[in-house]
Amino acid sequence: MPGFEIFGDEERSQVNDVLETGVLFRYGFDGARNGHWKARDFETELARRLGVAHAHLCASGTAALSTAMAACGIGAGDEVIVPPFTFVATIESVLMAGAVPVFAEIDDTLCLSPEGIEAAVTPATRAVIPVHMCGSMARIDEIKALCDRKGLILLEDACQSVGASYRGKALGSFGKAGCFSFDPVKTITCGEGGAVVTDDSDVYVAADAYADHGHDHIGSDRGAEDHLIIGGNYRISELNAAVGLAQLRKLDWILDTQRRNKTAIKTAMQAIDGIAFRQLPDPDGDSATFLTFFMPDLQRTRAAVKALGEVGVDGCFHWFDNNWHYIRKWDHFHTLRASARLAVQTLPNCPDFGSIALPASDALMERAISMQIKLGWTGAQLQQRIDATVSALKGVV
Ligand SMILES: *Cc1c(COP(=O)(O)O)cnc(C)c1O
């Protein structure tokens, strides 16, 4: 996820356009802004790139998730099915909406499985949030069919997967809404930023309003605008949008580079007995931000991470032992340690989040290692990395 790796003349030039006008706000100041509408242009280009009708930028991926949830009408007391392997922001946004996260099992795609979702559905289930982790996809067509059959809202967390697709259709475009993050470690970055995308014009209007205190954004006199709904401030600034606009225009080059680098490493690793790879429902649609593989057991997974570190192969993540991406280590969440009482805690049937059992997910996550794929490797660095990886892993399996 290399957004942080690239900041060049294109980004500087877009930012300078904004600095020269001094209009850092995405709305209004029509005369002073000298024709620069960075947030708006980014939204137009992103929607076109993803093949969706609408995109609305937000201050972060987390803000985008909260905005999408509100715009889809998900709120107090609703159950929302989520995976245990995600960045904790997915869960935070469900809690902030006053809704109840319900965890379902993942499969060897490392995303929610249709079977896991089906087993977690109750009469209170309102929505499902599959998270397309590490640049690749859930079995999204089956999940969409399941949601349609059960009358559930499908909201995709594609924060880590901009540019990825399933059978030619962009991840994030399958559900009622999709969310993206452009934080500094994502595929492209705004510094901080995110987006909600949708084909549903009602969801778009609600998202556009919710993220800006309910403003209807009709006409050019902000003071005279109506407030459609109660919202908040989840807006992106023009400066951040300007960076993202330049980065979006590099997305195809980023994807090509990642895919080439990943293929070289994976091809070499395929010769090692005892290593299996993450299931990719459509390998051609993988954005290739990570190469994820499975070791035979937990002990050898920990040994492999150590061995890779010792030979200088950086950027390897054993999510099972890391405290941000897998439920096992979310101590603050297990006890709902919050600064103020959460809506879920006022429910008569608030779940005990410290005792959630997900044996199938544990069995996968304890053996999974993800290796970050970078853009800046030279041919020699890549080869050195491949050699070091193969010899380190052969010493462990
Ligand atoms: C990064 C991320 C988010 C949150 O995005 P921010 O822009 O950092 O707020 C949400 N979900 C997933 C899966 C992420 O990786």
Side-chain angles (χ1 to χ4, degrees):
M1 299 198 286
F4 62 87
E5 278 191 82
I6 46 169
F7 188 92
D9 290 344
E10 299 80 4
E11 285 79 1
R12 255 187 293 280
S13 159
Q14 291 290 343
V15 171
N16 272 337
D17 285 346
V18 178
L19 292 177
E20 278 160 15
T21 65
V23 179
L24 312 182
F25 194 49
R26 66 158 301 174
Y27 297 114
F29 299 94
D30 296 29
R33 61 196 311 134
N34 198 20
H36 295 306
W37 298 90
K38 301 302 181 188
R40 202 190 276 177
D41 290 350
F42 188 176
E43 286 165 351
T44 305
E45 289 191 26
L46 183 67
R48 195 182 310 137
R49 177 69 173 74
L50 299 177
V52 293
H54 309 282
H56 184 73
L57 287 176
C58 290
S60 68
T62 310
L65 282 163
S66 287
T67 298
M69 237 168 297
C72 290
I74 303 164
D78 290 336
E79 288 186 4
V80 179
I81 295 175
V82 291
F85 177 43
T86 180
F87 181 58
V88 68
T90 317
I91 316 306
E92 290 170 340
S93 62
V94 174
L95 292 172
M96 296 311 142
V100 185
V102 173
F103 290 82
E105 296 272 24
I106 58 173
D107 61 17
D108 60 0
T109 64
L110 297 187
C111 301
L112 277 179
S113 70
E115 300 79 12
I117 294 168
E118 186 136 26
V121 172
T122 76
T125 307
R126 190 77 203 289
V128 180
I129 309 185
V131 183
H132 301 292
M133 281 300 276
C134 304
S136 184
M137 71 230 58
R139 288 151 62 196
I140 192 64
D141 53 344
E142 293 173 65
I143 292 173
K144 177 165 172 46
L146 173 65
C147 288
D148 288 347
R149 185 151 44 83
K150 302 246 179 211
L152 303 174
I153 296 167
L154 174 60
L155 175 57
E156 292 169 87
D157 180 340
C159 283
Q160 297 194 3
S161 299
V162 71
S165 58
Y166 176 74
R167 298 198 176 153
K169 185 170 164 56
L171 300 189
S173 73
F174 285 82
K176 197 172 175 77
C179 294
F180 293 91
S181 165
F182 309 117
D183 82 21
V185 296
K186 298 307 201 286
T187 309
I188 57 172
T189 188
C190 288
E192 295 284 2
V196 179
V197 304
T198 184
D199 283 326
D200 183 321
S201 53
D202 293 337
V203 171
Y204 169 68
V205 168
D208 177 75
Y210 183 82
D212 183 25
H213 307 290
H215 271 260
D216 66 9
H217 301 135
I218 293 171
S220 56
D221 178 1
R222 186 166 169 83
E225 286 178 18
D226 203 358
H227 295 97
L228 295 178
I229 50 175
I230 293 171
N233 178 0
Y234 296 87
R235 295 183 306 248
I236 195 163
S237 85
E238 280 288 277
L239 285 170
N240 293 92
V243 176
L245 185 57
Q247 295 244 317
L248 180 63
R249 292 173 182 169
K250 298 177 179 178
L251 181 58
D252 286 325
W253 172 80
I254 292 172
L255 296 174
D256 286 348
T257 308
Q258 286 175 171
R259 286 170 176 156
R260 210 168 42 244
N261 288 345
K262 176 170 175 173
T263 301
I265 302 173
K266 187 170 179 179
T267 304
M269 283 176 59
Q270 271 160 339
I272 309 171
D273 281 340
I275 287 182
F277 293 91
R278 173 187 182 182
Q279 182 72 37
L280 307 177
D282 175 11
D284 293 339
D286 176 17
S287 68
T289 51
F290 283 94
L291 169 58
T292 301
F293 56 96
F294 298 106
M295 296 296 289
D297 52 44
L298 176 59
Q299 190 197 338
R300 276 178 280 187
T301 309
R302 288 185 173 140
V305 172
K306 187 159 173 286
L308 289 165
E310 282 165 3
V311 295
V313 178
D314 60 355
C316 294
F317 300 90
H318 182 207
W319 311 107
F320 191 70
D321 281 349
N322 137 327
N323 66 6
W324 285 108
H325 294 87
Y326 190 58
I327 191 171
R328 188 175 88 94
K329 290 284 207 171
W330 296 339
D331 291 341
H332 64 315
F333 172 67
H334 296 155
T335 52
L336 291 182
R337 200 162 66 232
S339 55
R341 206 145 81 114
L342 299 169
V344 68
Q345 292 170 304
T346 69
L347 296 175
N349 57 345
C350 178
D352 174 4
F353 292 108
S355 67
I356 292 167
L358 296 158
S361 301
D362 283 347
L364 289 160
M365 293 309 298
E366 67 180 14
R367 297 188 297 111
I369 296 174
S370 297
M371 197 181 265
Q372 194 171 39
I373 304 296
K374 289 204 177 161
L375 298 170
W377 293 328
T378 63
Q381 284 170 331
L382 180 61
Q383 192 54 51
Q384 190 192 12
R385 212 179 154 81
I386 290 170
D387 296 342
T389 300
V390 170
S391 77
L393 293 177
K394 275 189 173 159
V396 174
V397 283

